[in-house]
Amino acid sequence: MDFLTSIVSGMHLRSALYARFEATEPWAVRFAAGAERARFGLVTQGRCWLLTDGAAEPLALRAGDCFLLLDPMSFALSDDPRTPTRPCAELMEASSTRRANVIRFGGGGTLTTLITGWFTFDPSSSKPLTCLLPSLMHFRVEDERTSALQATLDLLTLETAENGLGGELVVRSLADLLFVQAVRSYMASANHSQNGLLAGLADPWLSRAIHAMHAEVARRWTVGSLAAVSGMSRSAFAQHFRQTVGQTPLDYLTWWRIHLAMRLLRQGSQPLSGIAPTVGYETDSAFGKAFRRTTGMTPSAYRRSHQQTWAIIGHAGG
């Protein structure tokens, strides 16, 4: 199982909501910070600007551009960075078409159409995304990929509106698909960062070592054996890995092992003695120390905390 598949399949999507914005110049909308773990946007017609908190300059978007914001604070979309913004909640409340998830607003000028989506996840399961991927991913997709994204969004809009039999399962599956499409498109673009995990996966030498760690997580890897997989000398590999990914190879391996262990702890009641060797630790003690050093709590405490959280959510939902 590769990195992206493992992360997305364990995200525990709680909800997904989508809207179509049909905005005419002049227009500007601000999205407040909330409980969402990610925001997704696709410009299908026209042009606009994206301004995120902390960004020195706005980002120009045009038809066919997509963006994905992880753990977003407030941000704005507008026809011009100088246009005064209106809160998204206000526009949704005022829109006569809000039942169809279509929001029309603006001054009557040139039309820009956007599809936006927002997701909420179990915070502990989405942490790998927010830790290792950039907070803003911007990419341009080809016509074929745009069609796939549009089709997925259309199906998500239908399912969230209909609330039909099995709708929750369908929405989760479609949202997972959309996430994979978005991250895959970003990785294939020329816009991705030159540092971080995505940069490592895009590197022809480092990617061999990263995929090897994912494929054989329980193997007793050393820097030397990983360098051999990459076809590099030990010292060159260690330096290149740290400069590109931002972690040493063995620190990354530990992080990945603990991420997989967290997933196993969330999924069921498998004893620690069964989980430890699965993720590369010969003893429960070694596993416990690594887990606590990485997460700040013991494996047992993490499992209890997760079970209590979902018990509360399940009770509230019932």
Side-chain angles (χ1 to χ4, degrees), residues 111-194:
L111 174 67
T112 295
T113 303
L114 310 101
I115 304 295
T116 65
W118 45 103
F119 314 99
T120 56
F121 309 123
D122 171 15
S124 63
S125 64
S126 64
K127 188 175 181 180
L129 281 172
T130 59
C131 285
L132 294 178
L133 299 182
S135 58
L136 168 61
M137 286 181 276
H138 167 230
F139 54 96
R140 181 160 184 80
V141 297
E142 301 299 330
D143 291 342
E144 293 81 2
R145 189 63 57 81
T146 303
S147 298
L149 289 168
Q150 182 66 62
T152 304
L153 284 164
D154 288 344
L155 287 170
L156 278 163
T157 300
L158 177 64
E159 286 296 331
T160 53
E162 292 292 333
N163 194 28
L165 183 65
E168 182 178 348
L169 177 60
V170 173
V171 166
R172 175 174 175 175
S173 299
L174 289 171
D176 286 353
L177 175 61
L178 178 61
F179 232 92
V180 171
Q181 289 173 334
V183 177
R184 181 188 291 166
S185 295
Y186 176 78
M187 291 177 65
S189 75
N191 295 334
H192 64 72
S193 172
Q194 299 305 305

Side-chain angles (χ1 to χ4, degrees), residues 2-80:
D2 62 32
F3 166 80
L4 187 55
T5 302
S6 178
I7 295 296
V8 173
S9 63
M11 284 193 306
H12 294 291
L13 180 70
R14 293 179 182 172
S15 62
L17 184 62
Y18 299 83
R20 176 186 177 92
F21 286 82
E22 297 179 358
T24 54
E25 296 181 353
W27 65 272
V29 55
R30 174 160 291 278
F31 299 82
E36 299 84 5
R37 304 300 297 180
R39 291 267 189 160
F40 175 88
L42 168 64
V43 182
T44 58
Q45 180 181 344
R47 298 172 180 268
C48 66
W49 295 87
L50 168 67
L51 183 60
T52 58
D53 287 348
E57 299 291 337
L59 176 65
L61 303 172
R62 58 191 174 96
D65 278 356
C66 294
F67 67 86
L68 184 65
L69 289 165
L70 300 177
D71 258 358
M73 300 299 287
S74 63
F75 67 97
L77 293 166
S78 66
D79 71 305
D80 186 295

